[in-house]
Amino acid sequence: MKMDYVVGLYNTLTNLGMKVWLDGGWGVDALLGRQTRPHDDVDIVIEQKNVPKLRELLGKQGYTNVPRDDTSPWNFVLGDHAGHLVDVHAVVFDSDGNGLYGPLKNGIMYPVASFTGRGIIDRQEVRCISPEHVVKFHTQYAPDENDIKDVMAICDKFGIKYPVGYSLLKK
């Protein structure tokens, strides 16, 4: 997933009135203000109410569902024949501004403070998940090598304490 494609998608969705936050690897790179590694996809957070508009827009560009074991109405991947992958995280905002991610009974959410991140991709400011929440979210599953590098880079840049176990991994 190339930088110009990410910026183009972000601008297109924003110009259509959709608020978009970058998450995942591109969200990390936006916070760092530089691309640190190649990315296979772009993770975006949007409001559930915008999913039909997103599907219609990308469908016209040849995107279809990419089946995965964790596909759901709130988390799915759309891909095209050129290999572009958009990993969609759809939320419903509650009265406090938290982004509920999936059924309420699951108890998973993007806290309101997680939507305060701002970063830069190719000299353009973009919304992204806040540094503190990027770190927090990365502690909720077993991290791979990229996750570890991302978390350490975010912690170093923003003065955030390494999560438990990460300081042992720093070389």
Side-chain angles (χ1 to χ4, degrees):
M1 183 66 67
K2 303 284 185 197
M3 184 182 306
D4 60 340
Y5 181 83
V6 172
V7 171
L9 177 66
Y10 180 89
N11 287 334
T12 297
L13 297 178
T14 300
N15 290 337
L16 289 172
M18 292 187 234
K19 278 194 170 179
V20 179
W21 293 265
L22 298 181
D23 199 356
W26 275 111
V28 168
D29 283 359
L31 289 168
L32 297 174
R34 60 184 167 75
Q35 186 173 356
T36 61
R37 60 182 166 86
H39 301 283
D40 295 330
D41 66 0
V42 58
D43 295 68
I44 63 170
V45 180
I46 65 168
E47 287 186 77
Q48 182 72 41
K49 70 180 184 181
N50 289 321
V51 167
K53 193 186 312 185
L54 173 74
R55 285 186 174 281
E56 179 182 356
L57 171 75
L58 294 181
K60 288 178 181 176
Q61 297 175 25
Y63 281 77
T64 59
N65 287 317
V66 176
R68 295 187 326 182
D69 291 341
D70 64 345
T71 295
S72 67
W74 59 89
N75 181 221
F76 55 91
V77 175
L78 299 172
D80 69 4
H81 293 295
H84 298 118
L85 297 171
V86 181
D87 190 345
V88 180
H89 307 265
V91 298
V92 176
F93 287 107
D94 68 13
S95 60
D96 295 325
N98 300 303
L100 305 176
Y101 185 56
L104 187 58
K105 66 180 177 163
N106 291 355
I108 302 172
M109 75 169 65
Y110 284 82
V112 65
S114 68
F115 294 109
T116 60
R118 294 292 181 271
I120 302 290
I121 295 181
D122 199 21
R123 297 180 307 272
Q124 179 178 325
E125 184 175 303
V126 295
R127 285 184 206 89
C128 51
I129 301 305
S130 70
E132 298 80 10
H133 283 88
V134 166
V135 172
K136 181 178 179 181
F137 294 162
H138 276 78
T139 63
Q140 297 174 347
Y141 59 88
D144 64 20
E145 184 179 338
N146 286 332
D147 295 322
I148 292 167
K149 288 178 182 177
D150 288 349
V151 166
M152 291 176 152
I154 292 294
C155 288
D156 289 344
K157 178 171 181 174
F158 293 95
I160 300 170
K161 184 177 176 183
Y162 286 157
V164 173
Y166 274 69
S167 59
L168 300 174
L169 302 171
K170 189 164 185 173
K171 296 178 181 183

